[in-house]
């Protein structure tokens, strides 16, 4: 369908609206008038710009156009196009699923979204392959709604929206970071060394490093984005032959969700994550303090020792608070077991 083919209802994908008040913006009027709340303001703006909205029998491409009382507005939704990227038959560890969302336990090594160097084999490819026609097409493309991410080599719990409405509701919860709502997130992290305090809070702004664009860096309070991490020491591990503490298991809770936040904050504190080649490269020699089984388990891990262990949120449709827990995967569990027996 092209914009020039748009006709007033009875096209089943069209909405016929009448402006009651003058001087109201077109995009806001449509967002307020469509009661089922399936279209985001951003998507409505895109549809206007693409010519899928008529005002008084003429195509209007200006989202800010002020309406006159009594004017007729027709918005016609294009048929959803095939999902891009393509769906793939990739097994998923599904913890919960309904018509609105899906909760999965992401394995380490899986990229969340296709990008340069990762055009296939991603979580999005897997979700499109699994969900098929159950995904929302109202946004114009049948695709899952990624509302938060985990690094490629971080394992654990993620929730993904199936509909535009669920996406907006969940995104708002993640933007709030549990300050006023039900969102809960906790991570297990193995870090080098013995922290001076059993509980603490790291408040340090983050921005992308000017020296290496693949890394994040702590910057002063006048730059970057505010980031806040709470941690609790859950367990400590002695070095070879029962020596001083060489590593600690932390439970981290976030009040913000910045890229690499836990990894950068713990490095800033002087306790980078075990296996973190990006931020903990200077601690490679610490492995010599581990027992041979622990050294082997760390080498086999081959990634940062970070796992999203708890996820809780309010269901966007029912309002029920859902909570999920995930034990560390086998590779991280093996490392923890080896650390306990130096």
């Amino acid at each position: 369908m092209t914009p020039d083919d748009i006709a007033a209802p009875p096209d089943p994908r069209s909405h016929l609206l009448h402006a009651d008040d003058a001087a109201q913006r077109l995009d806001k009027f449509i967002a307020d008038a469509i009661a089922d709340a399936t279209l985001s303001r951003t998507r409505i703006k895109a549809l206007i710009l693409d010519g899928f909205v008529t005002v008084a029998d003429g195509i209007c491409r200006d989202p800010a156009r002020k309406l006159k009382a009594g004017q007729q507005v027709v918005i016609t939704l294009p048929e959803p196009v095939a999902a891009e990227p393509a769906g793939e038959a990739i097994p998923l560890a599904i913890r919960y699923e309904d018509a609105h969302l899906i909760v999965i336990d992401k394995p380490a090594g899986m990229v969340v979204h296709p990008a340069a160097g990762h055009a296939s084999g991603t979580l999005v490819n897997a979700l499109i392959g699994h969900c098929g026609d159950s995904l929302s097409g109202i946004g114009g493309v049948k695709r899952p709604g990624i509302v938060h991410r985990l690094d490629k080599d971080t394992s654990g719990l993620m929730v993904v929206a199936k509909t535009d409405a669920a996406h907006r509701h969940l995104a708002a919860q993640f933007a709030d970071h549990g300050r006023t709502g039900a969102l809960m997130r906790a991570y297990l992290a193995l870090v080098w060394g013995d922290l001076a305090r059993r509980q603490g809070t790291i408040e340090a702004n983050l921005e992308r490093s000017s020296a290496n664009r693949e890394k994040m860096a702590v910057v002063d309070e006048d730059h970057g984005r505010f980031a806040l991490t709470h941690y609790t020491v859950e367990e400590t591990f002695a070095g070879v032959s029962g020596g001083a503490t060489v590593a600690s298991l932390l439970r981290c809770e976030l009040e913000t969700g910045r890229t690499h936040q836990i990894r950068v904050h713990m490095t800033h504190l002087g306790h980078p994550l075990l296996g973190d080649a990006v931020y903990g490269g200077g601690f490679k020699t610490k492995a010599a303090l581990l027992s041979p089984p622990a050294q082997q388990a760390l080498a086999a891990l081959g990634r940062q020792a970070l796992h999203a262990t708890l996820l809780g949120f309010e269901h966007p449709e029912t309002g029920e608070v859902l909570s999920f827990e995930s034990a560390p995967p086998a590779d991280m569990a093996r490392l923890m077991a080896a650390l306990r027996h130096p």
Side-chain angles (χ1 to χ4, degrees), residues 220-231:
D220 63 56
E221 62 183 13
D222 295 325
H223 299 87
R225 303 181 70 188
F226 175 72
L228 188 67
T229 303
H230 303 286
Y231 71 85

Side-chain angles (χ1 to χ4, degrees), residues 10 32-33 58 73 75 112 157 175 202 207 244 251 280 332:
D32 292 343
V73 176
I75 177 169
V112 170
L157 295 165
I202 307 167
E207 72 177 13
R251 184 182 180 90
M332 193 166 163

Side-chain angles (χ1 to χ4, degrees), residues 35-241:
D36 59 11
T38 52
L39 285 174
S40 67
R41 184 85 171 261
T42 299
R43 182 56 186 161
I44 290 169
K45 179 179 179 180
L47 288 171
I48 295 170
L49 293 173
D50 288 342
F52 287 99
V53 174
T54 65
V55 176
D57 297 325
I59 293 174
C60 176
R61 299 179 187 268
D62 179 9
R65 174 172 171 172
K66 298 295 197 252
L67 296 175
K68 298 178 181 178
Q71 279 188 319
Q72 177 177 290
V73 176
V74 176
I75 177 169
T76 301
L77 308 182
E79 291 288 344
V81 299
E84 186 66 39
E88 298 176 28
I90 300 171
L92 290 170
I94 299 170
R95 297 293 303 275
Y96 175 87
E97 182 177 12
D98 62 21
H100 309 280
L101 57 89
I102 182 170
V103 176
I104 61 100
D105 207 334
K106 186 187 87 67
M110 175 179 272
V111 174
V112 170
H113 204 282
H118 299 284
S120 63
T122 71
L123 176 61
V124 167
N125 294 115
L127 288 166
I128 292 172
H130 170 76
C131 297
D133 288 339
S134 68
L135 291 175
S136 170
I138 291 177
V141 177
K142 292 180 179 177
R143 59 173 179 250
I146 302 296
V147 296
H148 68 124
R149 297 171 186 260
L150 295 178
D151 294 339
K152 171 179 176 284
D153 290 325
T154 298
S155 55
L157 295 165
M158 286 186 63
V159 59
V160 180
K162 287 185 172 185
T163 69
D164 288 3
H167 192 172
R168 288 198 304 278
H169 195 290
L170 289 168
Q173 293 186 60
F174 277 86
D176 182 67
H177 295 290
R179 297 184 187 95
T180 62
L183 185 74
M184 300 177 290
R185 284 186 297 167
Y187 296 75
L188 292 177
L190 286 168
V191 303
W192 290 111
D194 189 11
L195 281 74
R197 299 173 58 190
R198 300 299 91 180
Q199 290 185 313
T201 296
I202 307 167
E203 183 179 332
N205 286 19
L206 302 178
E207 72 177 13
R208 199 160 292 280
S209 169
S210 58
N212 183 346
R213 301 303 292 173
E214 294 183 0
K215 296 178 65 173
M216 303 298 291
V218 169
V219 294
D220 63 56
E221 62 183 13
D222 295 325
H223 299 87
R225 303 181 70 188
F226 175 72
L228 188 67
T229 303
H230 303 286
Y231 71 85
T232 301
V233 178
E234 299 275 295
E235 192 174 355
T236 59
F237 307 98
V240 133
S241 302

Side-chain angles (χ1 to χ4, degrees), residues 190 274 290 293-295 297-298 301 305 330-340:
L190 286 168
L274 272 67
L290 303 178
Q295 291 184 41
L298 178 57
L301 183 73
D331 59 353
M332 193 166 163
R334 281 192 294 268
L335 176 56
M336 292 165 62
L339 289 169
R340 292 187 181 109

Side-chain angles (χ1 to χ4, degrees), residues 11 79 118 141 143 227 247-248 257 271 296 304 310 315 323 327 342:
D11 185 329
E79 291 288 344
H118 299 284
V141 177
R143 59 173 179 250
S248 301
H271 299 279
Q296 294 170 9
Q304 66 267 8
L310 172 69
H315 193 285
S323 182

